[in-house]
Amino acid sequence: MNIDFKKRHSLNIIGSGEKTILFIHGFASSQQAWQWITPAFESTYKLVLLDLVGSGQSDRQAYDENRHQTLMGHVDDIIELCDALELEKVIVFGHSVGGMIGLLLAVKRPDLVDQLVMMGTSPRYLNDLPGYYGGFDRESVDQILEMMELNYAGWASYLSSVALPESEGEKERKYVEASFLSSDPKIACQFLQMTLLVDYRDALKAVETNTVILQCSDDSFVPLEAATYMSEKLKNSSLVMLSSKGHYPHVSNPVETIEAIKRNLK
């Protein structure tokens, strides 16, 4: 296999520790979102930073609509990367849908994942009442996707204010909006549809890896009920509450996020 992983994922490896942390960003984001987090870990861990194919500075030519129409396409990308780098027993830290990619990685290749940290992650965004509350009904999801297709800039402005309220910092909200706007609209729409409409609840029972779930006190994308559901279904997990509001605590409140990560790493 002759793959230029640095080009494909805009790969960056920093830090000097023996233990490795692999960071997986969320929807319409990139490895740049970790810039407020990584300095706290560089002296004690090796950090693997990547952009998912189709996101950030990744090689857009590597994006395959068939391969990447499910999260497993991204999981397979990361498996190829980890095998090429000869990584094993790493800590996987995933934000939002990046956390679910990390979970699916732990299911498919448990030898690669020593610990999983998920932040703002949901196994299913759609409600399945009365037994499951994911935070969205189908009509709301359809409206979001329609807005995205009709007015991408307006969608980015609206959704960034939902994802990170102005009370958490206008500069931080604008960073999230800029991240949305810098994404390829077609790929972002496909990725968001895939994210919001899938159901990975059955995958939870297959996870044996030690798992930490970081959950903001008020997350408009992932309600506490979804995080609690995951913590109850995962065999070896702990739910850690953050005082931060919104969906991007690593952007709006990196100090609290760093402290929570450090307290819960194995």
Side-chain angles (χ1 to χ4, degrees):
M1 184 180 299
N2 184 20
I3 297 176
D4 184 347
F5 291 102
K6 183 171 179 58
K7 179 182 179 182
R8 186 172 83 171
H9 292 289
S10 188
L11 181 68
N12 283 294
I13 301 176
I14 59 177
S16 56
E18 293 184 6
K19 192 76 175 178
T20 298
I21 303 178
L22 171 68
F23 289 84
I24 308 176
H25 63 77
F27 159 77
S29 187
S30 73
Q31 62 186 274
Q32 294 302 316
W34 304 117
Q35 63 184 285
W36 297 276
I37 299 293
T38 52
F41 299 94
E42 286 184 34
S43 63
T44 49
Y45 294 89
K46 180 168 72 175
L47 310 181
V48 177
L49 306 170
L50 58 85
D51 290 343
L52 297 172
V53 173
S55 300
Q57 298 301 310
S58 68
D59 181 7
R60 300 293 171 91
Q61 297 300 314
Y63 183 81
D64 184 315
E65 288 191 15
N66 291 322
R67 178 183 177 96
H68 298 110
Q69 67 179 340
T70 71
L71 295 187
M72 290 308 303
H74 294 287
V75 171
D76 289 338
D77 286 349
I78 293 175
I79 288 173
E80 291 177 358
L81 173 64
C82 288
D83 286 344
L85 296 176
E86 298 183 344
L87 296 177
E88 58 183 14
K89 296 297 182 182
V90 303
I91 298 166
V92 175
F93 182 24
H95 170 237
S96 193
V97 69
M100 191 51 56
I101 292 173
L103 185 143
L104 296 173
L105 175 65
V107 172
K108 187 168 184 178
R109 285 287 301 276
D111 59 301
L112 292 178
V113 186
D114 187 47
Q115 186 178 29
L116 174 63
V117 182
M118 299 188 294
M119 182 171 66
T121 298
S122 173
R124 179 172 172 82
Y125 291 86
L126 283 177
N127 298 330
D128 189 4
L129 301 175
Y132 178 80
Y133 179 70
F136 293 86
D137 56 36
R138 182 57 192 259
E139 182 180 0
S140 298
V141 169
D142 289 343
Q143 289 174 350
I144 291 172
L145 294 173
E146 182 180 7
M147 180 192 299
M148 194 178 193
E149 292 182 347
L150 294 176
N151 181 2
Y152 189 79
W155 164 87
S157 177
Y158 164 74
L159 207 67
S160 64
S161 64
V162 174
L164 193 59
E166 289 188 14
S167 61
E168 298 298 289
E170 177 59 11
K171 181 177 69 173
E172 289 76 10
R173 187 204 65 78
K174 286 184 176 180
Y175 168 83
V176 174
E177 180 180 2
S179 181
F180 288 169
L181 288 171
S182 67
S183 301
D184 181 293
K186 182 179 179 181
I187 293 175
C189 188
Q190 292 170 340
F191 201 116
L192 185 59
Q193 181 174 359
M194 169 182 66
T195 299
L196 293 178
L197 296 181
V198 296
D199 185 353
Y200 288 107
R201 287 177 293 176
D202 282 347
L204 302 178
K205 61 187 178 185
V207 180
E208 301 288 344
T209 306
N210 177 276
T211 304
V212 178
I213 303 165
L214 302 182
Q215 174 69 19
C216 286
S217 62
D218 185 5
D219 186 336
S220 297
F221 286 173
V222 181
L224 178 58
E225 289 89 342
T228 301
Y229 178 91
M230 281 202 303
S231 69
E232 292 173 347
K233 297 298 181 181
L234 290 167
K235 301 181 185 74
N236 187 20
S237 68
S238 57
L239 176 60
V240 178
M241 295 301 301
L242 304 176
S243 65
S244 304
K245 296 181 180 180
H247 194 60
Y248 290 82
H250 51 311
V251 176
S252 62
N253 197 344
V255 173
E256 180 186 35
T257 305
I258 290 167
E259 291 175 350
I261 296 168
K262 287 186 173 181
R263 282 197 310 270
N264 290 280
L265 289 182
K266 289 174 60 178

